Amino acid sequence: MNRNYFHLHLVSDSTGETLIAVSRAVAAQYQGTVSIEHVYPLVRNADQLARVINEIQSAPGIVLYTLVDPTLSDELQSACAEFGAVSMSVLEPIVNLFHSYLGPAQSPRPGAQHTLNSEYFRRIEALNYTMAHDDGQGVDEFESADVVLLGVSRTSKTPTSIYLANRGVKTANLPLVPGAPIPEAIFQLNRPLVVGLLASPERIVQIRENRLLSLNVADNTPYVDRAMVSDEIAQSRRLFNERKWPMIDVTRRSIEETAASIMDLHRLHQMKFLSD
């Protein structure tokens, strides 16, 4: 049956991030069909689950869930079967695979991946560092970064930096501004991976024009001049080539894809840095 939309119920005993990421990745394959998301985080007792079941019953659709408690999981599955909503435990196949290899988990806990452990505090430290070293701030401290991003205005340096920080990667970034000298400290960097971000002139102009429009600023400036933008990008490319810094063209990449490429480059950079 073809549908223009469907209800997607995401039931989690934690934050729901896993369900959101998985479901959106699949839903994106169905162009022309819109998922109406209903997210129910922190469902950990029967009363909370009862409220969720009532909402699912009023708008049946696809139900995905991550519930560690087998009693809650069974109750949700039975309720969905009663009123014709298809349901699936997203983690169960993976849990079964781990179980077959490692044996049963010692202590199944809802939201165990979000405990305040060293990894969590590492991400917080990375985020604090990244916010303090955004847009060229504290350039003399860039040596303590894991990654340094360079690029002309509107090459997604800041959102990419924040995404990397949420993965525990301390990231600094510096805009390349026409006529402005690059701080000498950038050329002295040793520990961080330096990555150049590029995009097509058309893409940069489009983003800059939208930016000026949102600010109610006239668009007859060199900032959005096609020829000058092309020259900016060409100069940045020459710089990256001269310094042998890896380059990533973000024209058709999402922030997530760009960050994944950078993390892979960072892994190789760390291996080389440690072996030297």
Side-chain angles (χ1 to χ4, degrees):
M1 181 188 302
N2 292 326
R3 298 177 182 271
N4 293 324
Y5 72 92
F6 67 98
H7 291 279
L8 177 60
H9 300 273
L10 308 175
V11 188
S12 174
D13 53 22
S14 185
T15 62
E17 292 175 15
T18 300
L19 287 173
I20 291 170
V22 171
S23 63
R24 287 181 181 175
V26 177
Q29 308 304 313
Y30 293 85
Q31 297 183 14
T33 302
V34 177
S35 62
I36 302 174
E37 287 185 356
H38 308 264
V39 183
Y40 313 97
L42 304 174
V43 178
R44 297 181 179 179
N45 60 50
D47 289 339
Q48 292 169 332
L49 183 60
R51 289 192 289 272
V52 170
I53 289 173
N54 284 336
E55 293 199 35
I56 295 172
Q57 188 171 14
S58 67
I62 296 175
V63 180
L64 302 178
Y65 60 92
T66 52
L67 298 173
V68 170
D69 187 329
T71 302
L72 297 179
S73 179
D74 291 345
E75 185 176 347
L76 176 60
Q77 200 165 29
S78 297
C80 289
E82 282 181 20
F83 44 77
V86 295
S87 64
M88 177 182 178
S89 169
V90 170
L91 292 183
E92 186 175 357
I94 302 172
V95 169
N96 290 340
L97 180 63
F98 273 60
H99 189 163
S100 68
Y101 190 78
L102 301 174
Q106 295 298 315
S107 54
R109 293 176 296 137
Q113 74 271 36
H114 297 295
T115 53
L116 302 183
N117 55 19
S118 59
E119 175 66 21
Y120 174 83
F121 289 110
R122 186 169 73 88
R123 294 202 309 271
I124 296 300
E125 180 187 2
L127 188 56
N128 287 335
Y129 179 92
T130 298
M131 297 304 292
H133 297 83
D134 180 44
D135 205 29
Q137 297 180 80
V139 69
D140 291 334
E141 301 168 351
F142 277 19
E143 180 62 26
S144 58
D146 296 316
V147 171
V148 174
L149 303 181
L150 275 66
V152 304
S153 173
R154 303 296 129 184
T155 46
S156 303
K157 296 182 297 300
T158 293
T160 304
S161 296
I162 293 172
Y163 189 95
L164 288 168
N166 276 292
R167 295 297 181 272
V169 180
K170 293 165 63 177
T171 310
N173 73 76
L174 178 76
L176 299 178
V177 181
I182 299 172
E184 187 61 31
I186 295 296
F187 303 118
Q188 306 301 323
L189 295 175
N190 183 41
R191 178 183 177 275
L193 166 71
V194 181
V195 178
L197 301 183
L198 298 164
S200 70
E202 294 78 14
R203 180 60 175 160
I204 294 296
V205 169
Q206 179 187 37
I207 297 173
R208 289 183 180 184
E209 285 177 340
N210 289 337
R211 174 65 172 164
L212 294 180
L213 185 63
S214 69
L215 297 174
N216 280 326
V217 176
D219 61 1
N220 57 342
T221 71
Y223 186 64
V224 292
D225 181 89
R226 172 67 168 72
M228 299 191 75
V229 170
S230 295
D231 188 55
E232 278 186 65
I233 296 168
Q235 288 187 43
S236 68
R237 187 186 296 275
R238 282 195 294 272
L239 170 67
F240 303 151
N241 278 324
E242 288 170 4
R243 305 301 301 189
K244 295 183 171 55
W245 290 330
M247 292 175 273
I248 297 177
D249 189 328
V250 303
T251 304
R252 294 180 177 82
R253 286 177 182 254
S254 66
I255 299 299
E256 294 84 354
E257 290 172 320
T258 301
S261 295
I262 292 170
M263 291 179 72
D264 191 43
L265 288 169
H266 179 244
R267 178 181 58 82
L268 297 174
H269 178 77
Q270 278 188 309
M271 292 171 59
K272 181 178 182 300
F273 182 78
L274 293 173
S275 64
D276 289 345

